[in-house]
Amino acid sequence: MTKSDLIDAIAAEGGISKAAAGKALAAFERAVSGSLAAGGEVQLVGFGTFMWANVPSAKAAIPKPASRSPLLRESRLNSAPAKH
C-alpha cells in the first residue's frame, strides 16, 4: 500500500475528503516521528508497537594488520505487530 492508497482508504472509511485525510495522515506521521525522535515508544493497540532498539556492537575485520576493530553501537527502529 502506498501513501496515496492509504489516504484514499482513510478518506473512504472516514467519509472525509482526500485533502482532510492527507492532513490527518501528516499529523499522525509528525506525532509518531516526534515521539520516536524523543526516544519514546509508540503503541497502537490492535496494530503494533514501534520503538528504538540498540544493535549490539560488532567487530570489523581489518586486512592489514590482521586485527579486529570495534564498530560503534547503533540504534535501529523496530516494530512488533499486535497479537490477535
Side-chain angles (χ1 to χ4, degrees):
M1 175 178 271
T2 66
K3 186 174 182 176
S4 180
D5 293 338
L6 184 55
I7 289 171
D8 291 344
I10 292 170
E13 288 287 324
I16 58 176
S17 70
K18 288 183 183 181
K23 287 180 182 179
L25 182 58
F28 171 79
E29 290 170 340
R30 283 192 302 276
V32 169
S33 295
S35 179
L36 292 172
E41 184 175 285
V42 177
Q43 295 179 345
L44 303 172
V45 176
F47 186 74
T49 302
F50 302 89
M51 76 296 274
W52 286 105
N54 288 326
V55 177
S57 51
K59 299 276 185 181
I62 301 175
K64 291 187 181 181
S67 65
R68 297 180 85 64
S69 173
L71 297 176
L72 295 176
R73 181 170 222 140
E74 295 181 355
S75 290
R76 107 179 137 204
L77 184 61
N78 277 356
S79 63
K83 296 177 182 172
H84 296 279

